[in-house]
């Protein structure tokens, strides 16, 4: 069962979407300089049960337009089940992962075909995040193929 550290309704993660965003615990990537090492322990956080997830979707579906998972691709079958619940409520779904798109395509092809947004790229402090023009990270609208990084430049 996937576990989460926290959830919140956010505006900044996906441009033009109001997102219910879950931070999933158990990240296996161990990026050098990770700003969230507390997310590495798979036993940390609370269980993200289907029942709890469905109740949150029912509660917020008139407020939100999207659900974002920060991690969780390592349990793709469970993530796909959660994505399916969100899709039934006509919500878009995004995934933030430290993998690159090629790796996601190779390891979790079913995820790619069920997501609307994908943010890829491990954290490299010298290159910065989405607000840096030299970043290795990419936020992509998988429906249109458009790269959305420019929304984060100030
Ligand atoms: S993907 Fe994110 S949470 Fe995971 S190790 Fe890298 S920076 Fe940390």
């Amino acid at each position: 069962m996937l576990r989460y550290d926290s959830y919140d309704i956010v505006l900044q993660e996906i441009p033009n979407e109001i997102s219910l965003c879950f931070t999933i615990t158990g990240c296996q990537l161990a990026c050098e300089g990770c700003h969230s090492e507390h997310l590495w322990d798979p036993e940390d956080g609370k269980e993200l049960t289907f029942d709890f997830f469905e109740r949150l979707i029912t509660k917020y579906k008139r407020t939100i337009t999207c659900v974002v998972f920060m991690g969780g691709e390592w349990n793709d079958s469970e993530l796909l089940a959660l994505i399916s619940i969100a899709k039934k409520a006509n919500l878009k779904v995004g995934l933030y992962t430290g993998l690159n798109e090629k790796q996601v395509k190779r390891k979790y092809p079913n995820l790619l075909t069920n997501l609307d947004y994908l943010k890829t790229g491990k954290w490299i402090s010298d290159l910065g995040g989405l607000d840096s023009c030299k970043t290795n990270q990419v936020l992509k609208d998988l429906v249109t193929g458009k790269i959305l990084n420019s929304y984060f430049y100030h």
Side-chain angles (χ1 to χ4, degrees):
M1 175 77 48
L2 284 170
R3 302 175 76 88
Y4 69 96
D5 176 72
S6 60
Y7 67 86
D8 205 356
I9 294 179
V10 296
L11 298 173
Q12 71 274 19
E13 304 299 352
I14 307 286
N16 302 321
E17 304 284 2
I18 303 168
S19 302
L20 176 61
C21 179
F22 291 87
T23 305
I24 305 296
T25 57
C27 182
Q28 302 163 346
L29 291 180
C31 301
E32 198 63 45
C34 171
H35 38 72
S36 309
E37 283 195 26
H38 64 286
L39 299 176
W40 293 8
D41 184 352
E43 302 303 320
D44 218 356
K46 296 182 190 144
E47 284 191 349
L48 184 50
T49 65
F50 298 144
D51 182 53
F52 174 67
F53 183 75
E54 258 180 318
R55 277 189 278 125
L56 280 182
I57 294 294
T58 302
K59 183 174 177 185
Y60 293 121
K61 69 181 176 190
R62 283 186 197 83
T63 307
I64 61 174
T65 59
C66 186
V67 176
V68 173
F69 296 98
M70 302 279 188
E73 70 276 5
W74 48 87
N75 188 341
D76 57 330
S77 59
E78 207 162 294
L79 195 57
L80 279 165
L82 294 168
I83 291 170
S84 163
I85 293 169
K87 292 276 177 180
K88 277 189 196 126
N90 291 320
L91 296 167
K92 295 178 189 168
V93 183
L95 171 69
Y96 270 46
T97 172
L99 300 174
N100 61 42
E101 187 174 338
K102 206 171 180 182
Q103 291 168 322
V104 177
K105 197 172 187 175
R106 181 92 195 257
K107 294 176 89 167
Y108 311 111
N110 289 340
L111 282 179
L112 266 191
T113 51
N114 283 279
L115 290 165
D116 298 280
Y117 299 103
L118 182 67
K119 183 200 167 195
T120 50
K122 64 190 258 185
W123 171 251
I124 301 174
S125 57
D126 284 349
L127 302 181
L130 288 177
D131 57 351
S132 161
C133 55
K134 60 179 184 177
T135 189
N136 61 307
Q137 299 185 324
V138 178
L139 177 62
K140 189 174 183 181
D141 181 331
L142 292 172
V143 177
T144 63
K146 190 176 172 195
I147 305 298
L148 304 177
N149 288 34
S150 60
Y151 284 89
F152 295 82
Y153 302 156
H154 300 299

